[in-house]
Every structure is written in structure tokens, then in C-alpha cells.
Amino acid sequence: MKRAIFPGSFDPLTLGHTDIINRGITLFDEIIIAIGINADKKYMFTLEERMQFIKKAYKGVSKIKVMTYEGLTVDFCKKIDANFILRGLRNPADFEFEKAIAHTNRKLSEIETVFLLTSSGKSYISSSIVRDVIRNNGDYTGLVPHTVRVK
């Protein structure tokens, strides 16, 4: 089985994330959307809210699972028997950052990182931009799946 994890904080899930996930489904037998827990990071949405955004977006899609993890991503991969890490690239800066992480992960384990370029119409979307739009009462609905709603 070709199992990949798609790690991130997903604070919140964006259309950029779903673009990578939806295209990744065609490459892997299963994708674990892995929400990393970082006690030092301040999130806009609770862990439960982030999980629900994702679970509702992929309800009925058997190839998608949602899990949480702490610690090194490669250790989580080993724990759940995932052979691949799926990552999206929006721009050259993403590539340089992700390349360094992928090389480190290969040094620590045999996990392969697979990069997909975000579709051009979604390459400008990031969770930090979405959070800024939300904080400033802007219309964020065109940047996130319909399952992401602020109370």
C-alpha cells in the first residue's frame, strides 16, 4: 500500500491544501492528513475545530484519514507505516524551505517526500493570509472549503 502523510497545522484548512490533497489522492492508496501539535504555537482554531474542518471536507472519501501527532514527522511516518510525505509548493521560497526538510528527513529515515505544485489559481493562498483576512472581518469564504466557517 502506498500510504502518504500530508502534515501541517491546517489553521485553517485552505483551498491550497485541498488542491494538493485532491491531486494526491490519485497518486496514493491512502493519505493521512496529519495535524501536527506544537505546544509553543498559538492557533486561531482549536485542534478539534481543525479536525472537523478536514473530516467534514472529506466525509465519505475512504482514501483520506485524519490524525494528530507530536514530535518528528518521520517518527510519525514510521509509527503508522507511511512511506511518503506529501508537500505542496506555492513558490520558490517554499521549495527552498521544503527541500531542506526533505533532505533532513531522508537523512533520518527512508521516507520519500513527494512535492506537488499548487495549482496556479490557488498558489497565493496560505493559512496565515486566511487568518489575517478573518481577523480583519474580510470575506475568507473564497479561500477555504465550505466546511471552514468562523463562529
Side-chain angles (χ1 to χ4, degrees):
M1 172 182 274
K2 290 188 294 183
R3 178 179 290 140
I5 70 158
F6 184 50
S9 60
F10 305 101
D11 186 36
L13 179 70
T14 70
L15 292 179
H17 293 130
T18 58
D19 175 58
I20 298 300
I21 295 164
N22 294 343
R23 291 171 41 232
I25 288 171
T26 66
L27 302 174
F28 300 103
D29 299 314
E30 183 177 66
I31 296 177
I32 309 291
I33 302 173
I35 304 172
I37 299 171
N38 182 343
D40 296 330
K41 193 169 178 182
K42 186 171 181 171
Y43 298 103
M44 175 175 273
F45 296 95
T46 67
L47 178 60
E48 185 58 36
E49 287 172 319
R50 291 180 280 147
M51 287 184 76
Q52 288 307 311
F53 293 155
I54 299 166
K55 286 180 178 180
K56 287 178 183 174
Y58 289 97
K59 184 178 181 177
V61 181
S62 62
K63 292 174 75 169
I64 300 290
K65 306 264 185 299
V66 182
M67 300 176 78
T68 62
Y69 75 102
E70 293 184 76
L72 294 176
T73 302
V74 291
D75 290 341
F76 180 65
C77 287
K78 289 176 193 172
K79 179 179 175 183
I80 65 164
D81 198 27
N83 303 93
F84 302 93
I85 297 172
L86 176 63
R87 298 297 294 159
L89 300 174
R90 294 171 297 177
N91 54 49
D94 278 357
F95 173 73
E96 289 301 325
F97 178 73
E98 293 292 344
K99 179 177 76 167
I101 294 170
H103 284 311
T104 303
N105 287 341
R106 281 291 289 157
K107 191 77 168 166
L108 297 173
S109 71
E110 293 298 311
I111 305 294
E112 287 289 350
T113 301
V114 175
F115 297 110
L116 292 180
L117 297 177
T118 305
S119 297
S120 62
K122 296 177 180 69
S123 63
Y124 66 95
I125 302 171
S126 71
S127 291
S128 58
I129 289 173
V130 172
R131 288 191 305 271
D132 195 44
V133 170
I134 291 169
R135 267 192 226 85
N136 290 288
N137 300 312
D139 181 7
Y140 62 92
T141 58
L143 304 171
V144 298
H146 72 279
T147 59
V148 176
R149 291 297 174 255
V150 177
K151 296 172 190 164

